[in-house]
Each structure stands twice: as C-alpha cells, then as structure tokens.
Amino acid sequence: MTVSPPPTEATVPPTGTAVPPTGSAVRPGGSAAPSTQTATPSTETAAPSTETAPSPDRTDVVDLYFKHIGSGRAVMGRVMGGMAEVRSEGVWIHADDGRRFLDFGGYGVFLLGHRHPAVVEAVHRQIDTHPLASRVFLEPVAARAAQALAAHTPPGLDYVHFVNSGAEATEAALKLARAHGRTSLVTTRGGFHGKTLGALSVTANTTYQTPFQPLLPDVIQVAYDDPADLEQALAVRRGRACVVVEPVQGEGGVRIPRPGYLSRVRALCRAYGALLVVDEIQTGMGRLGTWWGVDAEGVRPDVLLAGKGLSGGVVPIAAMAATAEAYAPFSRDPYLHTSTFGASPIACAAALATVRAMEEENTVPRAAALGLRVLTAVRAVCAPYEGGLVREVRGRGLLIGIEFTEERAVGELLLELISRGVLVNHSLNSARVLRLTPPAVVEDTALDLFLTVLAEALHSTADRMAG
C-alpha cells in the first residue's frame, strides 16, 4: 500500500474564530477544520453517498440535546460539526449532511463492522417471532447463545449470565464475588470497568469517582503489570479478595503488560485465595487477534467478562462467564441476581449470530493478521514524528494506541481526522493516547484511505502545535 506525502498546511483561522455553521468541524483552539475529505476517492472510498440527503432540520437535533439530554453533550456535538449519524454499513457511518465517515473507532463494538448481514437477519427473525420473553418459561435462544459462547471461553468457564452492558457484567461479577465472601476488591491503576456504582469503584479514575463518593468500601488500587505490588495487597487480604484486571488496558491507553504477567496474577490469586475476574469486555471476542486476551498465556480466570463485540454491532448484550465453582451461588438461586431485559431473546439472537459469523468467517485469525498490518503501517506513518509529537505506537490485534507527548495533540488530531472523514477514539483513562479499534472487515482501499488521511492529519497537527 502507498501513503501519500503530507500536503502543505492551509492557512488556519486564528484562535477565537466563531463556531462555524453546522457541517464543519472545529478544533479545540476554535479554528474551523476543513470539511471535505482530502483523500482521493476510489470506488469503495467515494466520499458522500447520495443515498443520504442532508436533513432540513439538522440544527433541531442540537437544540433537542440542549433541552433534553444535556448541554455538555450538545456543545461537544456542535464542536464536532453538529452532524448526526443516521445510517451505517460495514466500515462506514453516514451523517445527515450527506457525508460518510470511515469508522476506526466505535470503542471496540464493531469488530464485524456495522450491520453485519447475518446478525441483522437473525435479529429481524427474532423480532418477527419473539423479541422479549415473559421470564416465566425457559428461553431457548439464551440457552443456545450461552452454549455458543461457552464453546470459545477458556476451558471450564461453562456457565454464562447474560446482561445488557459491560458495566452490568462487572456488577454481576462483584456481586458473585461477595456471595463467595470476597468483599475486598483489588483493581489496577488505569483500569476501566464501567461507571455504575459498583463498577465505578474499581474504575481507577478520580474524575469519574469523586462526584459519587463514597463508593464501595475496601477497594485498593495496585500498579498494572506489577505482580509484586499485587502480592503485597493480597497478602493482607488472604481469602477475602477479588482481583479485577484487563489483559490489555483499553481505556488506560492500550497498555500491554509484559509476557507472563497474567500467569503470575493467576498464580498469586490461587496462592492467596483470591477470586480472579478478567475483564475482556473490550479485549475479548477476537479484538486482540485471539478469542480472549488470556488465551495468549493459557490463563483460566474464575470469571470472565464479555461485551461490546458480543453484540455484533447490532443489539447491546454482555455476559459474565464463570466456572462451575465460581458460578455456584447464581446457579443454585436463579433469583439472586436478575434483570428484566437480561438474556432477552432479541439480544441473545444477536450474540448467537455473532459467534456463528465469527466461526464461519474466521474473524479471529483475520483480526490477528489485519491488526499486524495496521500496526506496522501506523508505525510507519508516525515514524517521522517520533521523539517529537509522537511518543509511541503500540497495539495487539485490532486494539492500537498512539501515545503523544502532549494531551492537546489527541484532541487536535481527533478533530483533524473527523474533518477528513475518519472516526477514532480517545482514551478515558489516558489523555495522551488516541485509540484505534477498526473492524476486522476493513479492505485494502479503506485501509489505504485511513493511512493517507492519518499522514495528512499528523502533518497538520504537528505544524499547528509547532506554531
């Protein structure tokens, strides 16, 4: 693949320029970013689709956000250009102004792309027959989805509890730990496990925690990728601890531990009688090029959390998978932890179709191969800026992070990319890291477009920050 050389930077309006009309993006300093995709379009990467006509009442959406959803989100939407997303397929999201955007973000949800045909068909079929259950009788779709998921979890994690979101999966795991008397929680600095009250207690970010304190008691943070620090914490909590850890910290800035770290965590949990919960909500379901992040070291946790990709990008669903021993309290009493919409037929139909599609399309090995290509190419594009604007590029599978030397660069580059028709993520627990979570269905032309746009956006960002 070839990457076009960076263009000469156009003149940028001075800081303080008024917010432009809806449809153009704005940089943090206030300057209007170009609203036209600069990469040369091909058959696949052609810019705006004529199928999505600009909406005559686009500004109404911003007003409705101000009035009914929140001023902060409304302002953010306006800064992003005021567009509303109205349609999606494959690697593309279409906005109401007629443009389409290459989605290399999505926070890990769209490994199969948007609206995967097999998942959409399964959901349509379920809607036409039985979308929600009475909760009185057995639910065959949930049973088959649990069987399909358990076929790919680490050996022994055969019991599956379906919920509606990743945070709910974390809550279920924390309650299960308490049912076993593990009331002391050990989490890692930079870890992210959700924002509901229990999940927030083990999400190590004071920005989100402080307004809601006091949270759960007896929670300690240890350094990530530091078995010695973990052992010190477990030694004084023998027999009463629950350890919550990610194989790779996603929101923490794509922090990849040294080889052997997870194996050591597993050994320490056994030695000190701790329950091990591995959060694979973002890293699992093939995102790292393996079904689960723990697969790289053959680690079997007591509890594993799945989500995001489990939805197939169509209907929200997450799950807690556990060993028979760990799951015993929930297995004995089905009413101990329940949810009206948990394990709904429509969501489980999406999950079942997702697992089957991944099997049939070899999604996991494809994510591994594509991830290596993307990582290598992104490193090449960023190489001229290393030691200056860029500190490091790292990743595993299709979870890739670009760490900058300054926080400001993340916002600048994110808006530069949006203005050129590409979506990426920032990292909630690491302000200097821009995160890429592309689908496994990205084809060469779309990847070439991304790399070209990334080169242009880096050049513009570097010039502006240097000035």
Side-chain angles (χ1 to χ4, degrees):
M1 68 187 67
T2 58
V3 179
S4 302
T8 303
E9 172 68 355
T11 302
V12 179
T15 301
T17 301
V19 175
T22 301
S24 57
V26 179
R27 300 190 184 101
S31 56
S35 62
T36 305
Q37 237 173 259
T38 58
T40 302
S42 65
T43 302
E44 182 188 345
T45 60
S49 167
T50 55
E51 296 178 33
T52 305
S55 171
D57 58 352
R58 292 178 61 227
T59 54
D60 290 350
V61 176
V62 175
D63 293 339
L64 289 172
Y65 265 76
F66 268 112
K67 294 175 181 176
H68 302 293
I69 294 181
S71 59
R73 187 66 183 87
V75 170
M76 186 184 303
R78 181 176 286 169
V79 167
M80 293 294 183
M83 292 87 71
E85 52 188 86
V86 295
R87 188 167 62 84
S88 60
E89 79 283 323
V91 298
W92 302 101
I93 290 178
H94 297 258
D96 60 352
D97 66 353
R99 285 188 291 164
R100 69 176 185 173
F101 295 80
L102 179 61
D103 188 8
F104 266 50
Y107 298 95
V109 171
F110 301 102
L111 190 69
L112 294 181
H114 292 266
R115 293 198 302 118
H116 187 284
V119 182
V120 170
E121 180 185 3
V123 169
H124 274 299
R125 187 166 57 247
Q126 196 63 46
I127 289 174
D128 289 339
T129 55
H130 190 52
L132 293 177
S134 70
R135 309 308 301 259
V136 175
F137 304 116
L138 299 178
E139 298 161 16
V141 184
R144 288 194 292 270
Q147 179 189 38
L149 184 60
H152 295 285
T153 54
L157 275 76
D158 298 325
Y159 286 84
V160 178
H161 179 86
F162 287 115
V163 291
N164 303 291
S165 69
E168 286 185 38
T170 302
E171 296 286 348
L174 298 182
K175 288 183 68 175
L176 187 60
R178 288 206 166 194
H180 284 282
R182 274 37 173 219
T183 57
S184 182
L185 300 174
V186 182
T187 188
T188 59
R189 297 189 193 104
F192 186 94
H193 306 285
K195 292 180 181 174
T196 51
L197 201 63
L200 185 59
S201 301
V202 290
T203 290
N205 188 323
T206 55
T207 299
Y208 306 123
Q209 289 183 329
T210 300
F212 306 104
Q213 290 177 337
L215 300 172
L216 293 182
D218 200 2
V219 180
I220 185 172
Q221 297 177 16
V222 299
Y224 187 68
D225 196 18
D226 188 342
D229 199 21
L230 175 61
E231 183 168 17
Q232 187 175 11
L234 292 179
V236 295
R237 294 169 173 78
R238 187 183 293 270
R240 60 185 183 87
C242 170
V243 175
V244 186
V245 67
E246 297 161 274
V248 172
Q249 287 190 333
E251 296 292 352
V254 192
R255 293 190 60 199
I256 303 171
R258 290 164 292 182
Y261 170 64
L262 291 177
S263 298
R264 185 63 181 145
V265 170
R266 172 71 280 182
L268 288 172
C269 286
R270 287 199 181 99
Y272 291 98
L275 189 78
L276 176 58
V277 176
V278 175
D279 181 347
E280 297 257 20
I281 293 165
Q282 183 168 172
T283 58
M285 296 297 295
R287 174 57 61 183
L288 300 184
T290 51
W291 270 95
W292 312 102
V294 295
D295 292 348
E297 296 183 22
V299 169
R300 188 190 79 169
D302 300 300
V303 177
L304 180 145
L305 309 182
K308 295 188 183 293
L310 183 60
S311 67
V314 178
V315 178
I317 185 170
M320 176 187 74
T323 64
E325 181 180 5
Y327 196 73
F330 282 14
S331 184
R332 286 192 299 267
D333 185 352
Y335 295 104
L336 198 59
H337 182 67
T338 59
S339 166
T340 299
F341 296 114
S344 68
I346 186 174
C348 287
L352 177 57
T354 296
V355 173
R356 287 177 174 169
M358 290 178 64
E359 293 169 343
E360 294 169 3
E361 298 172 12
N362 295 314
T363 300
V364 176
R366 181 171 182 174
L370 180 60
L372 182 59
R373 287 181 60 202
V374 176
L375 179 61
T376 301
V378 170
R379 280 176 171 161
V381 172
C382 291
Y385 306 96
E386 288 185 356
L389 181 67
V390 176
R391 181 178 181 275
E392 184 184 19
V393 179
R394 54 182 178 265
R396 181 181 297 171
L398 290 170
L399 178 59
I400 297 169
I402 305 174
E403 183 174 349
F404 294 89
T405 52
E406 296 182 45
E407 290 183 13
R408 175 190 163 199
V410 173
E412 294 276 357
L413 185 60
L414 187 146
L415 289 176
E416 281 285 350
L417 290 169
I418 290 175
S419 74
R420 289 167 162 82
V422 172
L423 305 181
V424 294
N425 301 138
H426 64 287
S427 299
L428 291 177
N429 279 1
S430 187
R432 292 202 305 266
V433 178
L434 193 76
R435 194 153 34 107
L436 311 177
T437 53
V441 297
V442 173
E443 296 183 358
D444 287 352
T445 48
L447 180 54
D448 284 340
L449 172 65
F450 169 74
L451 295 171
T452 299
V453 167
L454 177 62
E456 295 170 353
L458 279 167
H459 180 76
S460 296
T461 299
D463 275 3
R464 189 164 54 258
M465 292 188 67

